[in-house]
Amino acid sequence: MKAYTFIEEGKFALLKKAKPELSEPTDAIVRITLGSICTSDLHIKHGSVPRAVKGITVGHEMVGVVEQVGAEVTKVKPGDRVTVNVETFCGECYFCKHGYVNNCTSPHGGWALGCRIDGGQAEYVRVPLADQGLDRIPESVTDEQALFVGDVLATGYWAARISEITEEDTVLIIGAGPTGVCSLLCTMLRNPKRIIVCEKSAERRAFVSKHYPDVLLTTPEECEAFVMEHSDHGGADRVLEVAGAKDTFPLA
Ligand SMILES: [Zn+2]
Ligand SMILES: [Zn+2]
């Protein structure tokens, strides 16, 4: 099969590799139908992910069809359409049981797919701990609609959830890329009093203003004064930093 591979810093290439096989009873093999490119893939390419292993297939957000499952996998079966979670987790350790699956203490835990083991920018992927790593896609949802479930949408949902947003809050979201927009949608589910989006790209601001006309928009340069003017308690009550740039953390 073809697999997009991390060769060395600055270099990815499309290589021919053997189709992955089950290696543990908790594994599943998934035939990929769609995969996305994440900024984290670029971080691997630029050498800023020290744990990334040279030679691995990149890609950690994908959907597909289950081909094969190990003897201990009970949640999915061959033929199921599934989303693949970016995080691999056991579901049983202290952190998993408290919902902090990204801190899973299993040797497979954390960001494994497309970083420490072969990921999904390929025709097939082996997913460890498949009962936790795969979710079935309902009939009414297309592969394309489900593509962001494993990483981008999950990130936005989690960000909105841990922000403990109430209906009295002014929420500032810094960054309106794909993850920023998913964070915005999940913030909207909480019905805060106002939402301000700070984004430097005019194109992205236009997208937000077209699709979410109730959202207030500002730019990094004007952000502080704008938020002061449009908040009730001397600043935003909740801030979600979804840009990941050097200067957006101090801004938040
Ligand atoms: Zn990602
Ligand atoms: Zn765990």
Side-chain angles (χ1 to χ4, degrees), residues 223-252:
C223 186
E224 192 172 344
F226 187 90
V227 170
M228 285 301 186
E229 203 181 310
H230 295 90
S231 55
D232 303 327
H233 316 113
D237 303 297
R238 312 287 167 190
V239 181
L240 282 68
E241 195 287 318
V242 207
K246 204 190 281 173
D247 45 359
T248 49
F249 287 96
L251 180 64

Side-chain angles (χ1 to χ4, degrees), residues 88-97 100-101 103-106 109 129:
T88 302
F89 59 102
C90 72
E92 280 159 19
C93 70
Y94 173 86
F95 295 102
C96 282
K97 282 196 168 147
Y100 296 93
V101 301
N103 297 110
C104 177
T105 53
S106 155
L129 301 169

Side-chain angles (χ1 to χ4, degrees), residues 13-233:
L14 192 62
L15 301 186
K16 276 210 160 159
K17 287 186 181 173
K19 188 179 158 183
E21 290 173 3
L22 295 172
S23 71
E24 291 180 57
T26 45
D27 287 350
I29 305 295
V30 175
R31 177 172 59 82
I32 306 298
T33 53
L34 286 174
S36 68
I37 299 169
C38 181
T39 308
S40 306
D41 298 324
L42 300 180
H43 291 158
I44 290 178
K45 188 172 184 178
H46 297 152
S48 44
V49 182
R51 288 200 297 173
V53 175
K54 285 176 187 152
I56 55 105
T57 305
V58 291
H60 54 268
E61 183 172 60
M62 51 272 185
V63 294
V65 179
V66 176
E67 280 256 316
Q68 241 187 316
V69 293
E72 288 172 26
V73 175
T74 57
K75 208 175 96 181
V76 295
K77 58 181 189 319
D80 285 347
R81 280 194 312 130
V82 290
T83 65
V84 182
N85 292 325
V86 50
E87 300 282 338
T88 302
F89 59 102
C90 72
E92 280 159 19
C93 70
Y94 173 86
F95 295 102
C96 282
K97 282 196 168 147
H98 288 79
Y100 296 93
V101 301
N102 49 328
N103 297 110
C104 177
T105 53
S106 155
H108 298 298
W111 180 20
L113 288 166
C115 179
R116 287 145 43 207
I117 61 173
D118 285 335
Q121 285 174 26
E123 293 172 67
Y124 297 89
V125 65
R126 178 183 72 91
V127 179
L129 301 169
D131 272 348
Q132 282 75 41
L134 299 178
D135 285 289
R136 270 207 310 274
I137 303 173
E139 282 292 319
S140 59
V141 177
T142 66
D143 283 8
E144 192 174 351
Q145 287 169 327
L147 179 57
F148 291 157
V149 168
D151 184 10
V152 172
L153 179 60
T155 302
Y157 183 82
W158 180 243
R161 188 172 121 177
I162 61 173
S163 300
E164 300 176 354
I165 296 161
T166 74
E167 297 192 354
E168 282 143 47
D169 289 336
T170 296
V171 180
L172 170 65
I173 299 171
I174 300 175
T179 311
V181 171
C182 286
S183 302
L184 168 61
L185 289 168
C186 296
T187 295
M188 286 163 69
L189 296 174
R190 311 254 152 180
N191 274 323
K193 185 169 175 188
R194 47 177 102 69
I195 304 175
I196 304 169
V197 168
C198 171
E199 167 58 54
K200 70 176 180 184
S201 150
E203 193 184 356
R204 288 177 170 179
R205 286 200 305 276
F207 180 89
V208 171
S209 124
K210 181 178 164 199
H211 294 280
Y212 314 106
D214 294 338
V215 170
L216 302 176
L217 281 160
T218 187
T219 60
E221 295 71 37
E222 292 159 3
C223 186
E224 192 172 344
F226 187 90
V227 170
M228 285 301 186
E229 203 181 310
H230 295 90
S231 55
D232 303 327
H233 316 113

